[in-house]
Amino acid sequence: SKVSAQYAGVISPPASVRVVVTLPWLSEIIFKTLIFLCAAVFLWWGILYGLAIREKNRIVSLAKDSRALVISLYANARDLVAIFDVCPSPGQAPLAYAELIERKYGIENKIFLKLTQLFEEAKYSSHILAAIDSDAILDYYNALFKQIIDQKEKRVLILSFWKALMHRKPVFIR
């Protein structure tokens, strides 16, 4: 390419400059770009992980209020099951959705159905809920996702965990 210099109104005659891309220069640019992209991904992951942990802590803090805990756990479970594979149909009743999930994943001990029944009682009844052990509810929830995760392929599982992280949904809560 042709370049010329200008200083105090005096223009030099054009000179030919040949741009040479060398392997070390190109390698350095590629290396710096990869380092920058890795740093950006780790920063992004860290922020999303922090937000998921904050949501987990919010749910755990509801342990004293059984009604709010059950409603929050069910909402998180429903969103995660949708992220992992099965979205509820619009207008589908929670119990019908729970039966669909139970059949699809072969959930033992009807864990999702029990969680759904607790959700319906907490959400739609006006009576005072019986004292529900928050540890038992959390154990149901964690057992449910352990069973779902055990049935997934590793590559699908990694993608599902990334989706859950992008939606700031904690998978296991303890």
Side-chain angles (χ1 to χ4, degrees):
S1 86
K2 302 274 187 184
V3 295
S4 60
Q6 180 177 359
Y7 180 72
V10 178
I11 300 174
S12 71
S16 292
V17 176
R18 196 167 140 223
V19 177
V20 178
V21 177
T22 63
L23 187 59
W25 176 82
L26 186 60
S27 299
E28 181 182 350
I29 294 298
I30 291 172
F31 179 73
K32 287 180 180 180
T33 303
L34 287 175
I35 293 294
F36 174 76
L37 289 175
C38 286
V41 166
F42 279 116
L43 178 66
W44 181 50
W45 179 84
I47 290 170
L48 290 177
Y49 184 75
L51 292 172
I53 293 297
R54 187 169 77 183
E55 177 65 12
K56 175 181 137 183
N57 291 339
R58 185 194 67 79
I59 292 172
V60 169
S61 73
L62 298 172
K64 291 183 176 91
D65 182 6
S66 298
R67 185 179 301 269
L69 177 65
V70 169
I71 291 170
S72 290
L73 275 178
Y74 178 79
N76 197 64
R78 185 194 60 229
D79 292 344
L80 281 174
V81 169
I83 287 170
F84 275 77
D85 201 13
V86 183
C87 293
S89 301
Q92 186 174 23
L95 286 175
Y97 182 59
E99 290 172 0
L100 174 71
I101 298 304
E102 297 276 341
R103 277 194 314 269
K104 177 164 174 72
Y105 291 111
I107 305 295
E108 297 173 4
N109 301 326
K110 306 256 184 223
I111 297 171
F112 194 57
L113 194 58
K114 289 177 186 176
L115 185 62
T116 303
Q117 288 169 341
L118 283 172
F119 162 75
E120 284 192 332
E121 183 180 2
K123 177 89 175 178
Y124 301 116
S125 69
S126 58
H127 67 276
I128 297 173
L129 289 178
I132 301 172
D133 185 17
S134 61
D135 287 337
I137 295 170
L138 291 171
D139 288 343
Y140 278 152
Y141 175 89
N142 289 325
L144 168 71
F145 281 102
K146 179 159 181 7
Q147 289 182 30
I148 290 173
I149 286 169
D150 287 344
Q151 296 179 17
K152 291 283 189 184
E153 293 179 31
K154 295 297 179 198
R155 62 183 163 84
V156 173
L157 193 59
I158 291 170
L159 180 63
S160 298
F161 273 111
W162 270 103
K163 284 183 193 175
L165 198 59
M166 289 185 355
H167 289 276
R168 298 173 302 282
K169 297 290 181 187
V171 177
F172 292 106
I173 298 176
R174 180 43 60 180

